[in-house]
Structure formats: C-alpha cells, structure tokens
Amino acid sequence: MIVNTSFHIYRPILDDFLTWLRTVYATSAREAGMSDLRLSRIDFQPDPETLSFAFSAAHSDDEAARRWHDNAGGELRAALSEKFGERVLYFTTYMEEMDV
C-alpha cells in the first residue's frame, strides 16, 4: 500500500514546513517500516501565495501502513495543524500500485 499525503502550505512557512516534514514526519514513517519515501512538489498552485507537496511512502502490510498513518502520523499532522493553523492543509489518499 502507498500512503500519499498532499500538503498545501502558505509560502512564508515553507522552510519550517520542509524541515518538519524531513526531520519529523519522514523519520516517523521510516521508523514505522514505511519505505520508498518520496517528496514531490505539485506543479499546480491554485493560489500564488501557496505551494503544494505530496509525501508518499509504501508498506507491504496494508494494516501497518494504515496504523502508522492513523496513529503516529495522525498525531504529527495534528501537531502541525496546531502549530501553523490554516496556513497548512492536507489530505491523504491510500493507493495500491498496479501494473500498466
């Protein structure tokens, strides 16, 4: 299973957000056994004051992926929201990789 969380942030918090994502969120995912961690900038900005990023990670065990996302990942996203308020928004999509 691939867990993909898209984050939409206001430009003034970019450096703080990326530091948090790389040192806190990605570290937590890695420690939970998530692999193939990727960070991508989304090349569409609905508002010139914002930037969007997608963070994705995979796990061979669907339940373990959901458990990390809903528990440790959920606590981290809640803390992020508490710190930045509406300057950061996010949503998650669970995906299954398929052959073309």
Side-chain angles (χ1 to χ4, degrees):
M1 169 179 284
I2 300 168
V3 178
N4 184 85
T5 302
S6 295
F7 294 92
H8 305 283
I9 64 161
Y10 279 90
R11 289 179 186 268
I13 67 167
L14 176 62
D15 291 339
D16 288 340
F17 167 77
L18 289 175
T19 296
W20 172 85
L21 188 123
R22 290 175 173 138
T23 62
V24 177
Y25 200 66
T27 298
S28 174
R30 194 174 292 111
E31 288 173 352
M34 303 295 281
S35 62
D36 197 23
L37 278 61
R38 294 175 187 241
L39 176 61
S40 305
R41 187 177 60 81
I42 299 172
D43 194 25
F44 171 75
Q45 307 311 323
D47 180 333
E49 296 294 320
T50 65
L51 294 167
S52 300
F53 297 89
F55 173 81
S56 63
H59 202 296
S60 59
D61 179 340
D62 292 0
E63 286 306 311
R66 289 180 191 273
R67 204 169 28 255
W68 172 78
H69 175 268
D70 295 347
N71 296 309
E75 290 173 10
L76 293 172
R77 290 187 307 278
L80 179 70
S81 290
E82 188 173 314
K83 179 176 181 175
F84 292 117
E86 292 183 1
R87 294 177 291 168
V88 62
L89 303 171
Y90 53 83
F91 67 92
T92 298
T93 307
Y94 294 111
M95 302 183 295
E96 177 185 346
E97 191 168 336
M98 301 177 68
D99 293 330
V100 176

